[in-house]
Amino acid sequence: MLGGTFDPPHIGHLIVACEARWQLGLDEVRLVPARHPPHKDRDAVAPVERRAAWLEEAVAGRVGLVVSRCEIAREGPSYTADTLAAMAAAEPGARLWFVLGADQLAGFPGWHDPARILRHARLAVVARGDTGSAAAAALAERVAPGGADLVDIPAIGVSASMIRARMAAGTPVGHLLPPAVERALVREGLVPS
């Protein structure tokens, strides 16, 4: 499971999902758009149906990447612990991983019910930003002893917040997005053609 706001989904999301799938030998990676991200202002985030549609366009035709709408159907805040518990209950015996960036891992103990997350899934920690592979591995061992795997990805400096800022400034973003997402944003009048 790779959760997030995906506002908008970009090439970095696809790189993380594809590398996690390949490096961990996963059957699939479910990308889960948060209905109500508990850490973000709801009014500052694109509507969830729009974000889910963009995400579906981003993964179309990519083997092993699927969009899960499980958080869209559930009322209330989108907590990872609830989502993983529901996935585990729906598929008893399935081995689950929760993919997250090393930058998020430092705050993981303060998340909603982190112990329940670790009961249902291993962590797939992606080294990124200022946290290199060695630091990410050490942090993962402190936060989730024996319960985390490291996923190495090529260095990418793309984030959804950076893309939104570029869009607001009228700066090109097409090269940072999957082509289908760029086409959707153009259709919706959010970026120029």
Side-chain angles (χ1 to χ4, degrees):
M1 174 195 155
L2 172 59
T5 308
F6 302 106
D7 186 20
H10 53 75
I11 59 170
H13 293 125
L14 296 181
I15 291 169
V16 167
C18 290
E19 289 292 328
R21 181 173 181 263
W22 172 68
Q23 291 180 35
L24 298 173
L26 306 176
D27 294 328
E28 68 180 21
V29 173
R30 295 178 190 167
L31 293 94
V32 182
R35 177 181 180 147
H36 298 298
H39 58 288
K40 294 192 177 180
D41 176 6
R42 289 182 194 177
D43 295 331
V45 177
V48 68
E49 284 297 338
R50 177 184 279 174
R51 293 182 284 111
W54 294 338
L55 194 53
E56 286 169 349
E57 296 214 31
V59 304
R62 295 187 184 273
V63 175
L65 301 187
V66 297
V67 175
S68 170
R69 293 174 157 265
C70 64
E71 289 188 358
I72 296 172
R74 191 173 63 233
E75 291 294 327
S78 298
Y79 291 123
T80 300
D82 297 337
T83 301
L84 287 168
M87 286 181 176
E91 298 177 67
R95 295 184 64 205
L96 302 175
W97 274 261
F98 173 56
V99 182
L100 77 164
D103 55 328
Q104 298 170 314
L105 187 59
F108 182 77
W111 285 26
H112 175 78
D113 210 348
R116 188 160 57 129
I117 293 171
L118 294 174
R119 273 197 309 275
H120 293 297
R122 290 184 62 80
L123 300 182
V125 179
V126 178
R128 65 183 206 191
D130 292 336
T131 310
S133 295
L139 179 59
E141 190 56 31
R142 281 195 311 276
V143 172
D149 300 296
L150 193 64
V151 177
D152 285 314
I153 63 168
I156 48 173
V158 179
S159 69
S161 58
M162 181 260 290
I163 291 171
R164 288 191 306 275
R166 290 176 64 100
M167 288 168 57
T171 307
V173 295
H175 58 293
L176 304 172
L177 304 166
V181 173
E182 178 187 17
R183 288 190 296 274
L185 295 176
V186 168
R187 265 194 322 270
E188 295 174 28
L190 298 172
V191 296
S193 55

